[in-house]
Amino acid sequence: MRIRPAGGGGQRQTEFVSLDECGGAVGAGSPVSEVDPGTPEHLARPGASRTIGSGKEPVGAEMGAGRPGASAAAPAAGAGEPRKFDPKFRGPIHNRHCTDIICCVIFIVVILGYIALGVVAWVHGDPRKVIYPTDSYGQFCGQKNTLNKNKTILFYFNILKCASPVVLINLQCPTTQLCVSKCPDRFATYIDVQASYRYRPDQWNYFRQFCKPGFNNPRKSVAQVLRDEDCPSMIIPSRPFLKRCFPDFSTKNGVLTVANQTTFKDGRGKTRNVTDLREAANGINNVLDARSVGMKIFEDYAISWYWILIGLFIAMMLSLLFLVLLRFTAGVLFWIFIFGVIGIIGYVIILCGVEVIIILMLIFLRNRIRIAIALLKEGSRAIGYIMSTLFYPIVTFLLIAICISYWAVTAVFLATSGEPVYKVMANQTLCKYANLTCDPETFNTTNVTKFCPGAQCTFAFYGGESLYHKYIFIFQLANAFVFLWLVNFAIALGQCTLAGAFASYYWAYRKPADIPLWPLFSSFGRAIRYHTGSLAFGALILAIVQLIRVILEYLDHKLKGTQNSFTRFLLCCLKCCFWCLEKFLKFINRNAYIMIAIYGKNFCTSAKEAFFLLMRNVVRVAVLDKVTDFLLFLGKILVAGGVGVLAFFFFTQRIPVFAQEVPMLNYYWVPLLTVIIGSYLVAHGFFSVYAMCVDTLFLCFCEDLERNDGSTAKPYFMSASLHRILGKKKLSPKKAVG
């Protein structure tokens, strides 16, 4: 209820303010503060009320239930106070101040610390430990300026001691490992080679290249050679994989063979079956076949990359065309799909209840759906005026690519920061010194060889006992956390920048005449200069939740084999809860960034105001979200499917005009899948801008309805199409021109 002067006298009349379109500023009969008789006319909300008993219905009365989609009840308790009219508000605030300064300082300090962590990792780390295999002496195979510069492959003396390929790749196989220039290509044993070295020296010269460097004493007894592991007891035909020699397995008529043989001599007087190598090389054959497939795929990419780029360019043009056509076809596409679903469901009797529910929902929500479709069309129009926004995702992509690269490089250097660790390797299973740490320089002076004849101090892995090495895991965790923070910040910066640009469009009274010059660059500058702290704050909250989810996934992976049902259930519940929390925070952050872009307030205030504004329009939020998701998903499917069909006909030579231009491929599905997936990602990049545009226009639309009433003193900033949907019969003269 409001009390205001009637006419020019001092008599006051009581009025009731009707609900506005955005959910109602106040309910019918709600008390409103008294307005002084001297209050200027433009502050008295003209036409927003009616006089009791007068029978007069001012223009603003139709803002209530008479308008399509108007709320029928007051805002829910706790949804915050609606916006009030501000004659000075004209869109994104230009006179701003820095927000969340403490978080900004912390963010900068963390970035500097992250750089320091990278420097420390680069100083201590050595990626050659990943690139090059390491022999039993801790030397890299294939490293330049060393004795092993031409020996790029790692050879295992007795591969039967290796339990699995994982053990081999981790360099923890309990046998001597030696750098060689090539893998063996034949079966041979040391016993046979030693027995024939006098009359067949070529066999000895071939075999001894797989012995320890400098060993050339065929007269040494076989027992001593095998005890000291001067030479392998046997060699088998192998081929390199991951720069390591693995048995050259093949399958012949369903039988596993090595060099077409099913048996081999182990060099210790026994004849063994090739299947004995299966455990040591489990799965290697499949991996080698995968390597062959990988080479063919690489060849396909090498000769078809030009056509793949053309396909992605076509996808980009189709995405742009779809966004333009949404201005004219959004409503048609939506209603065709809805009626199609209803028609399909109608054939299923058991789902008749679902069909009735859908029809009733469409009847009650028809006006809100009209508003959602109008906002989609308005988004297409806004992008048409600010085309530069379509290419901003490239900036976000580059920032995220930098973050990923820095994280990956730092993670590799941290993982390779250890020093070589040597352990005692003994042939005797009862040796008490086996697997103990040793020093290769002083090993021969110890008593280990006396108690364990033939024991050696060989390289095991990279590690360390220093304070730095003890906290490697903590550093890796910090590396992952800061990476998540930076990625979320890059996304937040993009959302805030786009929101500022599209808000400039909406709050331009005459479109496009009043749209400021370079709105995208201006919005980017405001976000970086004033709101780095706020964006970092929102990104920090999201990064913490994501890190917890990563830890939960890690624990779930580690406990997957446990039989404790309660633990698995608890982990499942926690994962589900944090997944929901992450989705909710992304939704809140996205709308908070829009409010930051418009009003320039801190993160918490912006998030609260955005949340309350959405709660006052909760039905519209749900309708707009689903309509937008459906149309954009349909667009992605149309773009990816259309380009995919075209690529299929092209790469399978079914287009006669281009039949001679099609490259000869090993697998035509390689470029085909690349084009389909790439087209979907290209469409997603363009449509993400469109989705941000629609979300921004929606919040501005609700703000507009709360601030203004469509009168001459307080006109709407919305476009003519939205104005007509709300039931207004005419625009002010200036608006009609715009």
Side-chain angles (χ1 to χ4, degrees):
M1 182 174 66
R2 174 158 46 197
I3 301 175
R4 59 173 296 177
Q11 185 179 5
R12 298 185 177 185
Q13 296 178 343
T14 303
E15 300 177 340
F16 289 85
V17 181
S18 62
L19 297 175
D20 68 8
E21 170 60 24
C22 202
V26 288
S30 299
V32 181
S33 60
E34 182 177 334
V35 180
D36 188 84
T39 303
E41 182 181 359
H42 72 278
L43 295 178
R45 194 175 179 91
S49 60
R50 68 181 185 180
T51 304
I52 297 178
S54 64
K56 296 180 181 180
E57 292 290 336
V59 176
E62 65 192 13
M63 290 183 63
R67 270 204 237 135
S71 302
E81 290 295 328
R83 293 284 184 183
K84 298 188 183 325
F85 174 69
D86 182 3
K88 297 180 180 180
F89 181 74
R90 291 293 184 270
I93 305 298
H94 292 282
N95 296 326
R96 301 173 178 238
H97 62 276
C98 295
T99 56
D100 295 306
I101 299 176
I102 296 178
C103 192
C104 180
V105 173
I106 295 175
F107 184 60
I108 294 174
V109 171
V110 168
I111 291 178
L112 295 177
Y114 194 36
I115 295 174
L117 175 63
V119 172
V120 172
W122 296 340
V123 170
H124 290 84
D126 189 351
R128 294 177 303 177
K129 299 170 186 176
V130 177
I131 300 174
Y132 301 107
T134 309
D135 63 13
S136 296
Y137 307 101
Q139 299 175 345
F140 297 119
C141 298
Q143 183 181 355
K144 295 181 179 179
N145 302 322
T146 65
L147 296 176
N148 292 331
K149 63 180 180 179
N150 295 323
K151 300 178 179 180
T152 60
I153 307 171
L154 192 67
F155 170 73
Y156 298 90
F157 268 32
N158 188 356
I159 198 172
L160 293 174
K161 292 184 178 181
C162 305
S164 68
V166 175
V167 174
L168 299 180
I169 296 172
N170 288 337
L171 306 177
Q172 295 177 355
C173 183
T175 187
T176 300
Q177 302 159 27
L178 196 69
C179 295
V180 296
S181 57
K182 61 180 180 179
C183 295
D185 58 4
R186 66 193 72 171
F187 284 106
T189 64
Y190 182 79
I191 296 176
D192 295 338
V193 171
Q194 185 196 47
S196 61
Y197 82 94
R198 295 180 182 276
Y199 54 89
R200 299 192 64 178
D202 56 323
Q203 287 191 358
W204 169 253
N205 291 330
Y206 178 82
F207 193 93
R208 76 183 185 92
Q209 65 179 322
F210 303 105
C211 299
K212 289 181 178 179
F215 180 79
N216 189 18
N217 185 12
R219 296 182 179 87
K220 188 175 181 179
S221 67
V222 174
Q224 291 180 337
V225 169
L226 298 182
R227 183 199 64 187
D228 298 337
E229 291 204 357
D230 294 322
C231 291
S233 62
M234 62 173 179
I235 57 174
I236 58 177
S238 307
R239 52 178 169 175
F241 174 68
L242 297 176
K243 296 185 177 181
R244 292 162 175 82
C245 292
F246 290 105
D248 187 8
F249 288 111
S250 62
T251 303
K252 188 174 182 180
N253 296 326
V255 179
L256 185 67
T257 64
V258 174
N260 294 323
Q261 295 188 27
T262 58
T263 60
F264 66 96
K265 296 180 180 179
D266 66 356
R268 298 179 184 273
K270 294 182 180 180
T271 300
R272 308 182 66 162
N273 197 292
V274 169
T275 55
D276 293 339
L277 296 171
R278 186 188 300 273
E279 183 180 358
N282 183 30
I284 291 298
N285 205 36
N286 293 334
V287 178
L288 291 172
D289 291 340
R291 179 173 178 266
S292 176
V293 173
M295 292 300 298
K296 293 180 180 179
I297 291 175
F298 179 79
E299 293 173 357
D300 289 343
Y301 277 125
I303 61 177
S304 64
W305 65 269
Y306 178 78
W307 297 104
I308 293 175
L309 291 180
I310 293 178
L312 297 181
F313 178 78
I314 295 174
M316 183 183 72
M317 299 306 298
L318 289 178
S319 300
L320 290 173
L321 180 62
F322 184 83
L323 292 180
V324 173
L325 291 178
L326 275 181
R327 185 185 307 183
F328 311 101
T329 62
V332 175
L333 289 175
F334 177 79
W335 290 114
I336 288 177
F337 174 80
I338 290 297
F339 288 125
V341 171
I342 293 176
I344 294 173
I345 294 177
Y347 284 102
V348 184
I349 300 177
I350 195 172
L351 295 179
C352 61
V354 178
E355 184 176 4
V356 171
I357 294 175
I358 293 177
I359 294 175
L360 290 177
M361 289 178 61
L362 292 176
I363 292 174
F364 285 109
L365 299 176
R366 65 189 185 280
N367 293 319
R368 286 182 172 83
I369 292 175
R370 288 178 58 204
I371 294 175
I373 293 174
L375 283 170
L376 290 170
K377 295 179 179 179
E378 190 67 17
S380 178
R381 186 178 294 107
I383 291 177
Y385 288 130
I386 314 176
M387 289 292 292
S388 57
T389 55
L390 288 174
F391 301 97
Y392 184 84
I394 297 176
V395 177
T396 302
F397 171 78
L398 292 176
L399 291 176
I400 294 178
I402 293 173
C403 294
I404 294 175
S405 301
Y406 189 89
W407 165 78
V409 171
T410 303
V412 169
F413 274 86
L414 283 174
T416 57
S417 293
E419 300 296 331
V421 175
Y422 297 85
K423 290 193 174 184
V424 176
M425 183 180 65
N427 293 328
Q428 299 178 5
T429 57
L430 299 179
C431 177
K432 64 179 181 178
Y433 296 102
N435 294 324
L436 294 181
T437 304
C438 59
D439 185 353
E441 296 182 358
T442 61
F443 181 74
N444 292 330
T445 62
T446 63
N447 295 326
V448 176
T449 54
K450 295 181 180 179
F451 294 98
C452 304
Q456 300 182 49
C457 183
T458 60
F459 169 79
F461 55 87
Y462 289 99
E465 300 296 331
S466 67
L467 186 65
Y468 170 78
H469 295 106
K470 288 181 179 179
Y471 288 96
I472 287 292
F473 177 77
I474 302 299
F475 293 149
Q476 288 283 22
L477 205 61
N479 182 32
F481 173 71
V482 181
F483 162 71
L484 293 173
W485 193 359
L486 291 175
V487 168
N488 284 303
F489 176 81
I491 295 173
L493 177 62
Q495 292 176 343
C496 189
T497 299
L498 293 172
F502 293 126
S504 298
Y505 163 83
Y506 184 93
W507 296 109
Y509 190 57
R510 294 174 300 173
K511 302 174 178 62
D514 290 343
I515 298 177
L517 188 64
W518 306 113
L520 182 67
F521 295 102
S522 300
S523 179
F524 180 81
R526 290 194 299 268
I528 287 292
R529 180 178 178 183
Y530 298 108
H531 307 303
T532 297
S534 297
L535 301 180
F537 189 18
L540 172 63
I541 297 173
L542 199 55
I544 292 174
V545 175
Q546 290 174 341
L547 182 64
I548 294 175
R549 288 195 62 203
V550 170
I551 295 174
L552 290 175
E553 290 291 344
Y554 174 79
L555 292 176
D556 184 51
H557 176 73
K558 287 296 183 180
L559 299 176
K560 187 162 290 185
T562 183
Q563 300 299 321
N564 193 329
S565 301
F566 176 76
T567 303
R568 293 201 303 268
F569 172 76
L570 182 61
L571 276 176
C572 183
C573 292
L574 289 174
K575 287 167 59 178
C576 179
C577 291
F578 278 97
W579 179 84
C580 295
L581 179 60
E582 181 183 355
K583 294 296 182 182
F584 175 75
L585 288 176
K586 285 183 176 180
F587 176 76
I588 292 297
N589 284 12
R590 183 184 182 90
N591 290 281
Y593 299 146
I594 296 175
M595 302 301 280
I596 290 173
I598 298 175
Y599 296 105
K601 298 181 180 180
N602 61 50
F603 176 80
C604 292
T605 302
S606 300
K608 181 185 68 174
E609 293 181 351
F611 179 75
F612 285 154
L613 180 61
L614 294 172
M615 288 301 99
R616 295 194 294 271
N617 301 272
V618 63
V619 178
R620 280 209 193 99
V621 172
V623 173
L624 178 68
D625 185 61
K626 296 309 173 187
V627 172
T628 304
D629 287 347
F630 159 68
L631 288 179
L632 295 187
F633 177 75
L634 179 63
K636 295 174 188 178
I637 296 300
L638 289 176
V639 171
V643 176
V645 170
L646 181 63
F648 173 78
F649 283 107
F650 174 79
F651 288 114
T652 55
Q653 299 182 350
R654 300 188 184 185
I655 303 179
V657 179
F658 298 100
Q660 300 299 324
E661 303 293 334
V662 179
M664 298 301 296
L665 302 171
N666 296 301
Y667 310 107
Y668 73 87
W669 51 264
V670 171
L672 177 60
L673 287 180
T674 304
V675 168
I676 293 175
I677 297 174
S679 299
Y680 185 88
L681 294 177
V682 168
H684 177 76
F686 281 101
F687 294 166
S688 64
V689 174
Y690 183 76
M692 194 68 200
C693 176
V694 173
D695 289 345
T696 303
L697 295 181
F698 174 70
L699 260 65
C700 293
F701 170 72
C702 293
E703 290 267 325
D704 194 9
L705 289 172
E706 290 190 350
R707 286 179 175 276
N708 308 301
D709 57 13
S711 64
T712 304
K714 294 185 286 187
Y716 289 132
F717 284 80
M718 66 187 69
S719 64
S721 58
L722 283 171
H723 209 275
R724 285 191 296 269
I725 287 179
L726 293 180
K728 300 300 289 182
K729 297 180 180 179
K730 62 179 180 179
L731 292 169
S732 58
K734 290 184 179 180
K735 193 72 174 177
V737 174

